[in-house]
Amino acid sequence: MAVHVRVAVIGSGFGGLGAAVRLRREGVTDFVVLERADAVGGTWRDNTYPGCACDVPSHLYSFSFAPNPEWPRNFSGQPHIREYLERVTDTYGIRPHLRLNSEVRSARWDSGELRWELDTVSGAYTADVVVSATGPLADPRLPDVPGLDTFPGPVFHSARWDHGTDLRGKRVAVVGTGASAIQIIPGIQPEAGHLTVFQRTPAWVLPRMDRRITGAERWLHTRVPATRVVRRGLLWGIREVQVGAFTKRPERLGFVEAMARSHLRRSVKDPELRARLTPDYRIGCKRILLSNDYYPALTRPNVDVVTSGLSEVRGSELSAADGTRTEADVLVFGTGFRVTDMPIGHRVTGANGTTLAEEWKDGMAALRGSTAAGFPNFLFVIGPNTALGNSSMILIIESQLNYMADYLRQLDVLGGRAALAARPSAVNAWNRMLQRRMEHTVWNTGGCDSWYLDSAGRNTTAWPGTTAEFRKVTRRVDLQEYQVLRLPRARRTAVAGVEGVVAR
C-alpha cells in the first residue's frame, strides 16, 4: 500500500535539501526526500574527479540561512562542499525525511484524487505536491561515437570517475574542454604517460582568483557574523552589476575578453598552440571558465591538443573529425550533462495523460521557472530558464523556495483537497517575454553553440536578468496565473467524511 505524504521532494542536492529545510521552517513536516543514490549531495556527491571544485566563491555558493564561516578557500573543493551539505542535512533535521536508494521510476497525476502517485524502487507513495529538484547536472551526456564499444580500455564520464583505474604511465584521452575537463586535465597530466585532449571548441578562460582563507578571517566570520554577511553581499553585488553586459550589452564584454587574451598570452608562449586555444566567439556566450593551471598543463611535453571532436573509435585508435588519429589506453568524457531534456521528464505523466518530455518536445517551458502547464501541484527547483552565467545558483534556488512556500500557503488557504494548475496562457506569456529578452543576450548573439541552447537553438536554460529581479518575480504566487482544481462535490463530501476535513 502506498504511503501518503503532503510533499514529495525528488533529489537531495542543494535544491532538494534546500526545499526540505524550507518545508520544516514553514511548519511542514509531512514530507519525504526521495534520493536515488545512497547519500545526499547531488552533483557534489557524484563528481569526484581529480581537481573537482566550484567556480563560484564559497561564501556565495552556500545557503543564506546556513552560512559557513569555516570555508578554507575562496573557491572550495568538492570534499568541502559535500561535507557542508551533509552538515546542513544534520543541522536542520532532514535525516528522518530521507529515503535513500529510492529512485523515482514514475510519477503520475491522479485527476480523480488530485494527488500524485509515485513509484520508487523502494516502494510506492502518493503526494499532494511534488517538488522536483533533480537538477540540470544530474545525468551525464555521452556522445554517440561510432565504434565506442570496441575500445578495449576503461571508458567513463567525468561525473562517474573510475577511481579503480590507475592512470600512471597510461595514454589517456580526454574528450571535451568544458568546466569539468579544465579541472581534470591539470589534475591528471603529471601522472599520465601521454595525454590527448579533444577540443571541439576552445573556451574563454580567466585567472582563478583563489587563495587560502586565513585563520584570522575565519575567526572574524565566526565571532562577528556581520562580516560574513558583508563579504557575501560584496560578492553578490559585483555579479549583479555585471549582469547587464551579459543580458543587454554584450559589446561591453570586450574588456573581459582582453583580460582572457592576456591570460592566454602569459600562459602559452607557443603562437601556434595559442591560436588553437583562442575562441572565435564573444566571451560569455559559453560559460566563462576559471583556471590558473589549465593552460600550463596543455604546454607540457606529454600533452597534445586536437582541435576537433572525437568522431570514431576503432579499438584503441581514436579518430578526430579533422582526420587526426591517436592511440589511447583510457578514454574520459568531459562532455557535460543532459540539461535541455531533463531525464525526469520521461517519468512524469500529467493531467493530459502525456509525459513532461512529450509536452516539452518543442522545448522546455515553465511559469517563473517553477510550474508547467498540465502538471498540477508539480514544482521545479532549478527549472527551465533559471540558470545563471555569472553568479551563484544558490540564489536562484532560494528564490524558487520562496515560491514553493507561498504555493503551499495558497493551497492551505483554499483548504480541503485542492490543486493549482498553471494556465497555458500564463506559461506562454511568461516564455514569450523570456525569449524576447533573450534576443539581446550574449548567449543568443555571441556566435557559439552552447549547452544553454536546445536542439532547435532556443535558449530554454538561462535567466536573462539579475538574481534580485528573479527573487522579485518569484516572491508570491499569482493565483490569476493558475486554475484552481477541486474534487467533484460528491467526492469532496466523501473525502471530508473520511479525513475529518470540511472542504471550503
Side-chain angles (χ1 to χ4, degrees):
M1 184 175 178
V3 175
H4 181 72
V5 292
R6 186 181 183 199
V7 182
V9 179
I10 307 175
S12 68
F14 265 101
L17 292 179
V21 172
R22 186 57 184 269
L23 287 170
R24 285 186 61 88
R25 296 177 78 184
E26 292 290 322
V28 179
T29 57
D30 183 17
F31 70 90
V32 292
V33 179
L34 302 171
E35 169 56 54
R36 67 183 177 184
D38 60 1
V40 302
T43 190
W44 297 106
R45 174 201 59 237
D46 295 342
N47 286 267
T48 59
Y49 58 78
C52 184
C54 189
D55 60 1
V56 175
S58 305
H59 285 274
L60 192 60
Y61 196 77
S62 49
F63 292 120
S64 63
F65 56 79
N68 178 20
E70 294 294 329
W71 288 118
R73 303 193 66 84
N74 278 350
F75 297 90
S76 291
Q78 177 266 343
H80 294 106
I81 299 173
R82 183 174 179 186
E83 178 186 340
Y84 170 78
L85 290 172
E86 293 280 0
R87 190 163 61 251
V88 167
T89 303
D90 290 326
T91 300
Y92 292 90
I94 306 305
R95 297 276 176 204
H97 301 277
L98 282 176
R99 301 296 181 267
L100 302 176
N101 300 304
S102 297
E103 182 173 8
V104 175
R105 292 186 291 210
S106 68
R108 180 176 294 274
W109 176 249
D110 184 339
S111 297
E113 296 290 337
L114 296 187
R115 284 178 174 171
W116 283 95
E117 298 175 343
L118 298 101
D119 174 43
T120 81
V121 297
S122 64
Y125 293 85
T126 59
D128 297 330
V129 177
V130 171
V131 177
S132 177
T134 56
L137 307 183
D139 292 87
R141 182 173 61 83
L142 286 170
D144 185 16
V145 181
L148 183 59
D149 58 345
T150 69
F151 188 77
V155 179
F156 49 90
H157 189 275
S158 59
R160 303 291 185 267
W161 194 266
D162 183 357
H163 291 277
T165 297
D166 187 356
L167 300 181
R168 286 176 296 183
K170 300 286 180 62
R171 298 170 299 178
V172 183
V174 175
V175 180
T177 51
S180 298
I182 73 156
Q183 295 179 343
I184 292 169
I185 290 165
I188 67 175
Q189 174 271 319
E191 61 179 308
H194 190 271
L195 180 59
T196 302
V197 178
F198 286 85
Q199 171 194 270
R200 190 174 58 179
T201 309
W204 285 106
V205 183
L206 288 172
R208 186 180 181 88
M209 308 302 287
D210 193 19
R211 66 171 177 83
R212 185 179 68 85
I213 296 177
T214 66
E217 289 174 278
R218 296 198 298 271
W219 179 90
L220 188 63
H221 291 331
T222 301
R223 300 298 180 89
V224 187
T227 60
R228 64 182 183 236
V229 174
V230 170
R231 184 173 191 152
R232 181 182 175 95
L234 287 173
L235 292 169
W236 169 77
I238 290 169
R239 283 155 181 78
E240 289 291 274
V241 170
Q242 296 170 343
V243 169
F246 287 84
T247 60
K248 298 177 182 178
R249 301 283 188 273
E251 66 276 6
R252 293 182 181 175
L253 290 165
F255 174 71
V256 185
E257 250 177 48
M259 291 174 57
R261 291 181 189 276
S262 176
H263 180 49
L264 176 58
R265 282 195 304 272
R266 290 194 306 270
S267 304
V268 180
K269 303 304 181 184
D270 178 6
E272 192 275 333
L273 177 58
R274 194 165 61 235
R276 286 188 281 155
L277 297 175
T278 301
D280 61 358
Y281 55 87
R282 173 67 75 184
I283 194 169
C285 184
K286 287 177 176 283
R287 187 175 179 89
I288 300 174
L289 307 181
L290 307 178
S291 179
N292 298 326
D293 50 12
Y294 172 61
Y295 285 147
L298 298 182
T299 67
R300 300 293 184 250
N302 68 330
V303 179
D304 284 330
V305 178
V306 177
T307 53
S308 185
L310 178 63
S311 64
E312 186 180 9
V313 177
R314 292 184 179 179
S316 60
E317 183 183 80
L318 311 179
S319 298
D322 65 359
T324 303
R325 296 182 180 180
T326 189
E327 298 272 338
D329 304 308
V330 181
L331 183 52
V332 179
F333 285 97
T335 46
F337 299 85
R338 295 177 60 183
V339 176
T340 58
D341 62 331
M342 292 183 186
I344 191 70
H346 296 278
R347 307 182 185 192
V348 180
T349 303
N352 300 323
T354 51
T355 66
L356 193 56
E358 290 169 334
E359 292 291 330
W360 282 353
K361 65 182 185 298
D362 296 324
M364 301 189 300
L367 176 60
R368 303 177 190 274
S370 298
T371 54
F375 296 82
N377 282 10
F378 191 97
L379 294 100
F380 300 98
V381 178
I382 314 183
N385 289 112
T386 59
L388 298 174
N390 74 317
S391 193
S392 173
M393 280 304 301
I394 313 305
L395 302 170
I396 292 291
I397 288 171
E398 291 196 29
S399 293
Q400 291 200 278
L401 298 183
N402 290 340
Y403 197 80
M404 176 196 75
D406 195 54
Y407 193 103
L408 293 172
R409 291 189 207 109
Q410 297 294 343
L411 290 177
D412 285 341
V413 170
L414 291 170
R417 190 77 65 78
L420 296 177
R423 296 182 183 277
S425 59
V427 176
N428 292 337
W430 175 258
N431 282 277
R432 282 195 302 271
M433 178 275 293
L434 285 178
Q435 294 307 316
R436 280 197 305 271
R437 292 180 58 174
M438 210 69 74
E439 292 174 1
H440 306 289
T441 68
V442 69
W443 310 303
N444 282 37
T445 65
C448 74
D449 180 18
S450 75
W451 59 264
Y452 296 121
L453 308 179
D454 63 19
S455 59
R458 187 164 170 261
N459 194 326
T460 59
T461 305
W463 165 246
T466 64
T467 61
E469 182 186 3
F470 189 78
R471 188 178 185 88
K472 182 178 179 180
V473 299
T474 53
R475 193 182 306 274
R476 295 282 185 271
V477 170
D478 182 357
L479 286 181
Q480 292 185 352
E481 296 179 330
Y482 290 87
Q483 178 185 3
V484 177
L485 305 180
R486 294 279 198 180
L487 289 175
R489 184 173 298 277
R491 283 284 298 120
R492 198 155 59 213
T493 302
V495 169
V498 171
E499 298 182 350
V501 175
V502 177
R504 294 195 297 271

